[in-house]
Amino acid sequence: MSDSLIRPRGRSGLVLALLAFAQFIIAVDYNIVYVALPDIGRDLGFTAQSLQWVVSAYAVGFGGFLLFGGRAVDRLGQRRVFVTALGIYAVASLAGGLATDSGLLVAARVAQGLGAALLTPATLALINISFAEGPARNRALGIWGAAGSSGLAAGALLGGVLTNYVGWQWVLFVNVPLAVLALTVVPFLLAADTPVQRREGGFDVPGALLATAGSTLLVLGLVSGPEAGWGTIRGVGALAAGAVLLGLFILVERRSASPLAPLRLFGNRALASAMAVILVYQSTLGGTYYLFTTYVQQALGYDALQAGFAFLPLTVMSMLAAGRFVPKLLAAWGIRRTLITGMIGTGASVAVLAAGMSPGGSFLAVLPGLILFGLTAGSTFVAMFVAASSGVHAAEQGVASSLATTCQQIGGALGLAALVAIANTGNDTNPATPIVDGLRDAAWIAAAATVIGAFFALAIRKPPTDLASRRAPGNMPGDTGCPARQ
């Protein structure tokens, strides 16, 4: 790997700050629209049934284009895709804020998802190739994870403040100056991609089309099923079509000279195990965020701004765990032990959170579970992506990151759909306490699933001492064999 990626030499801290800021932008958009939904629905004529597409359209675009984004990073170059993604994000956010009807806003949210699907693997690939595997990369990913946690908090708080004082449009407009700020410093910190980053070879257009269509339909089915009904075209029909297309994608990849996602990557036990852990973890994380938001707003009577502040203990603990604790745990315990401990701890914290939920309860009753959830989930988040990058050649970090993040998006959609269904079933069977019992039942299920998911990490083996032998992808034209630069 060429040293020319970072410019000039010695600015790795500033480069990491830029990449962490990009993750902050992505994380802000996860939470910022939720509190603005009622105002958006009234202004743009969304129905109660269609309003969820303000959130779901982003998930469909994000999850559907991730594999495409990952391979674009590897083929076109990390810096080039990073810049393109920020531009798409800024334009889509501006269009969303200016939208005058529901269709335009939904289209803008899909475009934002596309921007995130390009930006996420580009950011992760830049981190993974800029910092040597081991303590340096672990510290960098810890800062990246802390930036994501701070973005989640800022999204919740900004959403409430902006909606209350300047209008819902600003939950979208706010992304524009953030993206422009990142774009202005790129020329000073990142040099042009070298030929090592822009690998020669085809782009596997059939694979890209099948992967994008299959992933999009799969996420579409997961986010539409609870609303439209699982027996409809938008429910099981989309899931079935997505599964068929992804099956065809695997067949195409077996025969492709330049596959979109080389199947041999799944032979990397650390990556495959991390993908399984991420799938389960994100199911819990996304679902528990929804359960907690519903609890404080509907059971405790919090308004949007108060609900945003309620997330602060969780976010502060997540930032502390990701930025300070995880690098030390990884150095002392290794990836496998850190992941197993984090997943079991996350499951236990969700159980504590569930135990604190009660009709007529208080925030203090759920605070211990919230603090523990932040510490354990924040630790697990970073360790998962450390595992996903382990032993992967620099020229394939983009697609490896996109595979991991695809599992994150699909896991989030799957977990939310399942836990909402469980919560609603609990509401139906306990009409005397219709809100809390259903939320608590769903939280218990999420806790058990997370603990079971910890066992996927058992497949991760202790890495060999020779990193170079582990990172070589085998018979790859243009492979220089140069180590990642710290």
Side-chain angles (χ1 to χ4, degrees):
M1 144 81 91
S2 169
D3 282 338
S4 63
L5 178 64
I6 298 177
R7 179 173 59 175
R9 184 186 295 272
R11 288 198 177 182
S12 58
L14 293 176
V15 172
L16 180 57
L18 170 63
L19 301 178
F21 185 63
Q23 172 63 9
F24 174 86
I25 294 172
I26 296 170
V28 162
D29 215 42
Y30 273 116
N31 276 5
I32 198 167
V33 300
Y34 281 98
V35 296
L37 289 177
D39 288 45
I40 292 173
R42 285 191 298 270
D43 284 1
L44 299 187
F46 282 96
T47 66
Q49 290 74 30
S50 65
L51 185 59
Q52 56 101 19
W53 277 103
V54 177
V55 176
S56 299
Y58 182 81
V60 168
F62 198 165
F65 285 97
L66 269 167
L67 281 178
F68 171 82
R71 208 46 169 173
V73 168
D74 293 332
R75 292 301 185 196
L76 303 177
Q78 293 89 358
R79 180 184 184 269
R80 180 178 297 177
V81 174
F82 184 81
V83 169
T84 301
L86 284 171
I88 292 173
Y89 216 82
V91 172
S93 297
L94 180 62
L98 295 173
T100 55
D101 63 59
S102 58
L104 290 175
L105 180 58
V106 168
R109 291 289 286 166
V110 172
Q112 278 187 310
L114 169 61
L118 295 172
L119 187 59
T120 300
T123 300
L124 280 168
L126 283 166
I127 289 175
N128 291 332
I129 68 173
S130 301
F131 296 88
E133 188 170 332
R137 185 183 294 175
N138 295 346
R139 285 193 297 270
L141 285 170
I143 293 171
W144 169 81
S149 297
S150 64
L152 291 174
L157 293 174
L158 274 175
V161 172
L162 293 174
T163 302
N164 285 340
Y165 294 109
V166 292
W168 65 263
Q169 293 86 350
W170 279 92
V171 304
L172 295 158
F173 286 150
V174 72
N175 293 317
V176 179
L178 296 179
V180 170
L181 176 61
L183 283 170
T184 57
V185 301
V186 166
F188 303 100
L189 297 180
L190 299 180
D193 298 308
T194 69
V196 175
Q197 284 93 56
R198 297 194 307 270
R199 301 187 63 87
E200 296 180 358
F203 194 77
D204 186 19
V205 173
L209 294 174
L210 287 170
T212 300
S215 299
T216 299
L217 286 170
L218 193 63
V219 177
L220 176 66
L222 290 172
V223 300
S224 299
E227 185 78 26
W230 290 109
T232 65
I233 294 296
R234 286 169 54 194
V236 70
L239 289 174
V244 169
L245 291 179
L246 290 177
L248 292 174
F249 166 72
I250 293 174
L251 294 177
V252 168
E253 296 303 277
R254 287 182 179 274
R255 299 175 179 272
S256 175
S258 301
L260 187 71
L263 297 183
R264 59 181 157 69
L265 282 178
F266 294 95
N268 181 330
R269 292 178 62 172
L271 174 59
S273 300
M275 289 169 62
V277 171
I278 288 170
L279 192 72
V280 177
Y281 166 90
Q282 192 65 29
S283 299
T284 299
L285 182 72
T288 302
Y289 266 53
Y290 169 83
L291 298 176
F292 178 69
T293 300
T294 304
Y295 177 72
V296 296
Q297 288 185 303
Q298 295 190 26
L300 301 186
Y302 284 16
D303 61 24
L305 195 57
Q306 290 172 320
F309 277 107
F311 275 95
L312 276 180
L314 184 156
T315 305
V316 170
M317 292 298 105
S318 293
M319 292 174 61
L320 196 62
R324 299 294 298 274
F325 299 155
V326 178
K328 296 177 182 178
L329 290 176
L330 288 169
W333 290 355
I335 296 173
R336 181 169 66 178
R337 187 176 173 186
T338 302
L339 260 185
I340 293 172
T341 303
M343 286 289 283
I344 293 174
T346 301
S349 68
V350 176
V352 173
L353 190 63
M357 293 181 178
S358 63
S362 67
F363 182 73
L364 289 178
V366 296
L367 183 59
L370 206 62
I371 291 173
L372 183 60
F373 184 64
L375 287 171
T376 54
S379 300
T380 306
F381 183 80
V382 176
M384 293 184 311
F385 282 94
V386 170
S389 69
S390 298
V392 178
H393 190 269
E396 294 181 331
Q397 285 290 348
V399 70
S401 298
S402 69
L403 286 169
T405 313
T406 298
C407 290
Q408 184 184 14
Q409 293 302 308
I410 291 175
L414 178 62
L416 184 60
L419 293 179
V420 167
I422 293 168
N424 289 337
T425 300
N427 293 344
D428 294 338
T429 56
N430 297 277
T433 55
I435 297 173
V436 176
D437 282 355
L439 297 175
R440 193 165 46 204
D441 290 345
W444 286 118
I445 297 295
T450 308
V451 172
I452 294 171
F455 291 95
F456 288 119
L458 289 173
I460 299 176
R461 293 179 295 198
K462 184 177 180 180
T465 304
D466 183 8
L467 293 181
S469 65
R470 196 159 52 111
R471 295 211 318 235
N475 194 26
M476 295 186 63
D479 181 15
T480 63
C482 296
R485 178 183 182 278
Q486 182 172 345

